Amino acid sequence: MNINLVTSNLGKVEELTHILEPFGHKASQLQVECPEIQAPTLEEVVDFGLDWLSAQKIQTPFIIDDAGIFIESLQNFPGVYSRYVYDTIGLQGVLKQMEGLEDKSTKFKCVIGLMLEDGSKHKFVGECKGNLIQEMRGTGGFGYDPIFIPDGYKKTFSELSPEEKNGISHRGRAMEKLIKFLSNTVI
Ligand code: IMP
């Protein structure tokens, strides 16, 4: 299937493409300025995005991806505000907020929205638990990857290969569900 990836984030395009291609799906990036809404959950942001893009008659099938990092000691902040926090105080600012906090448990969550040709909307959720560290390590990935170590690993997401990250990441897990869904759906 040819699937449009509606995102301006090249890191996401790379990861989504690598995940989709082995299953015979061809992915193409579509850059569309979608209005940002403030909503309490990633699911609501994705619902809004799917409806808005559908109203703009964006070529289906298409995928959108909303993700965030949820830090337990900060009452799950920044969560849906992850992009704003990253773009304003950056990783250094986040590390500063974490100084002195013993519990650095954190999870990444990703919600993938899929709009099919028949107008049906589908959402797939993936999570990856781990811990933040007090420094940046590695050069791969994007966003918060240099400060996040997934459970069971000693390396940050940035230090893992793309295949390793996709194999355990919030996005990889959400996409696994999407691919299973597509393989069971006759379109
Ligand atoms: P959004 O989904 O593009 O709104 O992303 C929210 C914020 O989380 C941005 O700052 C992204 O860079 C960051 N982000 C999203 N996915 C990942 C990921 O897989 N690793 C690290 N940071 C991510």
Side-chain angles (χ1 to χ4, degrees):
M1 184 189 280
N2 289 330
I3 303 178
N4 287 316
L5 311 176
V6 186
T7 177
S8 53
N9 183 326
L10 284 178
K12 286 185 183 180
V13 172
E14 224 166 89
E15 290 183 8
L16 294 168
T17 304
H18 272 128
I19 294 169
L20 284 164
E21 278 183 349
F23 294 90
H25 301 298
K26 193 177 169 310
S28 319
Q29 182 187 16
L30 259 189
Q31 292 211 51
V32 181
E33 281 301 319
C34 186
E36 280 281 313
I37 59 150
Q38 293 299 336
T41 65
L42 297 176
E43 283 85 349
E44 285 164 89
V45 175
V46 166
D47 270 330
F48 172 84
L50 287 174
D51 289 340
W52 190 87
L53 291 165
S54 178
Q56 311 308 306
K57 309 256 179 282
I58 297 298
Q59 174 79 52
T60 52
F62 65 80
I63 279 177
I64 57 174
D65 167 323
D66 203 36
I69 191 159
F70 297 74
I71 304 172
E72 266 183 37
S73 323
L74 302 182
Q75 285 73 47
N76 288 325
F77 190 76
V80 286
Y81 308 108
S82 296
R83 193 204 295 197
Y84 180 71
V85 166
Y86 183 85
D87 292 344
T88 51
I89 63 172
L91 295 186
Q92 291 291 3
V94 174
L95 294 182
K96 201 142 189 60
Q97 299 300 313
M98 298 301 294
E99 263 170 22
L101 292 179
E102 244 170 57
D103 181 6
K104 297 195 193 294
S105 317
T106 300
K107 75 173 181 197
F108 267 113
K109 179 174 172 180
C110 175
V111 179
I112 302 278
L114 169 71
M115 179 68 80
L116 291 177
E117 281 111 323
D118 64 1
S120 59
K121 288 194 299 184
H122 308 271
K123 291 196 292 291
F124 307 90
V125 180
E127 292 189 355
C128 180
K129 291 189 173 157
N131 283 277
L132 292 188
I133 51 168
Q134 236 9 84
E135 56 177 334
M136 294 181 215
R137 281 184 7 208
T139 51
F142 64 98
Y144 294 86
D145 282 352
I147 60 169
F148 178 80
I149 298 195
D151 282 349
Y153 287 74
K154 289 196 162 58
K155 292 180 177 177
T156 64
F157 262 172
S158 281
E159 293 174 308
L160 295 178
S161 68
E163 291 73 23
E164 282 173 318
K165 181 186 170 190
N166 286 338
I168 55 165
S169 77
H170 45 306
R171 182 163 297 104
R173 288 181 174 146
M175 287 299 288
E176 202 180 305
K177 294 178 188 169
L178 178 142
I179 284 163
K180 203 171 274 175
F181 169 80
L182 286 181
S183 69
N184 292 326
T185 309
V186 182
I187 301 163

